[in-house]
Amino acid sequence: MKKQAVNWIVKALFAGILAFALLCLGCLFYFNTPVHFDNPDGATEYKYESGVFFRGTEGYGYGRVNNDGFNNARDYTPKEKIDVLLMGSSHMEGFCVPQKNTAAAVLNRLFDGKKYAYSIGMAGHTFLYCAKHLEQALETYAPEDWVVLELATLSYDPAAMDAACDGTLPDMPSHTGKLVTTLQELPYLRLFYTKYVKGANEAVAAAAGTAEPVGTEEFEASLSRLLRKIGEVSAARGVKTMLVYTPTVLPDADGRAVTDARPGERECFARLCGENGIVFLDLTERNIAAVEEDGRLPFGFANTAPGTGHINSLGLRLYAEAVHARIEEGEG
């Protein structure tokens, strides 16, 4: 009886290990997100382990993280010539689309060798986190012409903008350590964590990127202070700064394409950017035209809710084309 019990336990353990291994193997082709670590150079809060294949559940993205820990088709060589540095959130990270369709990849095809764009887009890095790390990013990658920051929204809390300006915006920690890293490298455990546990970093980033309605004076004062610092940091490094607003666009009850921007926000950003020597590129009309004229949504995928979530290949192409046209215009 004791021998039978031991045999049953051994068989059960073997079956469990085999099932877990098969689940991890299946996740390699369904959901495989690299582990991220604190970024020692300070250009971002964190970056991914290098050379890892990625595949996400949203959209049909796949590719390989480069040697620098970011989603670029080309490996990074320290001190190499970079003309345009792209910064932004998971939209610029581009894990939801094939690597060839990221904003950086499309922009480099448009440049056709005349310029080189490099992306340090990273999940959770909303505009305020990009602003927080701008100085270190410019020091690390030393772009020669432009730094381009993505804005998926224009609604920011004044206190969070002040914190980004002062460098006191809360850090988004990476959970590292030998055991933790090993567990994160098991695809099925990573999927389970993402689906049922994850949320701390997203909550921090979301708190920095949303705002309750506030007095115009308070909002403008904080935004003006932040943009002034961004302009000064960029000017000190001899680069031009572009903020690109690419809003989610959805049809309303009458079929008209609308965004969630609050009245006056776009005009406020455009005016204050102009006062601080920053280019404000507003893609609202481009995204609306994609919906109303072409019947296509720049956000969302066939396996997600239409028009929501991350920027899809169309939205990233519109983004890259607009950035390319503005850079060409400025040098024409």
Side-chain angles (χ1 to χ4, degrees), residues 11-60:
K11 289 179 180 178
L13 286 173
F14 178 77
I17 292 171
L18 179 61
F20 182 75
L22 290 173
L23 287 170
C24 285
L25 180 63
C27 279
L28 284 174
F29 304 98
Y30 172 69
F31 176 83
N32 185 37
T33 302
V35 178
H36 60 68
F37 304 88
D38 290 336
N39 191 343
D41 60 36
T44 54
E45 296 276 314
Y46 45 76
K47 60 182 178 180
Y48 295 112
E49 56 185 329
S50 62
V52 176
F53 171 81
F54 65 82
R55 173 71 175 92
T57 56
E58 182 184 358
Y60 302 95

Side-chain angles (χ1 to χ4, degrees), residues 159-241:
M161 287 192 281
D162 291 340
C165 189
D166 298 334
T168 58
L169 200 63
D171 293 338
M172 293 187 288
S174 291
H175 303 289
T176 55
K178 190 171 182 180
L179 177 59
V180 174
T181 298
T182 300
L183 292 175
Q184 289 186 85
E185 288 177 340
L186 297 172
Y188 182 69
L189 287 184
R190 191 67 184 272
L191 175 62
F192 182 89
Y193 169 81
T194 300
K195 190 172 180 62
Y196 297 106
V197 181
K198 190 177 181 182
N201 286 354
E202 287 75 4
V204 171
T210 57
E212 295 298 322
V214 297
T216 301
E217 290 184 4
E218 183 184 4
F219 179 85
E220 285 199 20
S222 295
L223 179 59
S224 179
R225 182 168 173 248
L226 179 59
L227 293 177
R228 182 167 59 251
K229 181 176 181 179
I230 290 174
E232 290 172 351
V233 167
S234 300
R237 290 282 172 181
V239 298
K240 297 179 284 293
T241 304

Side-chain angles (χ1 to χ4, degrees), residues 54 62 71-73 86 91-109 119 312-313 316-317 319-320:
F54 65 82
Y62 61 88
N71 185 14
N72 291 278
L86 301 181
H91 295 301
M92 287 299 101
E93 178 183 74
F95 275 5
C96 296
V97 301
Q99 193 173 56
K100 65 180 182 179
N101 292 341
T102 63
V106 176
L107 192 54
N108 279 320
R109 285 198 295 274
S119 173
N312 55 33
S313 293
L316 291 170
R317 177 173 62 79
Y319 186 101

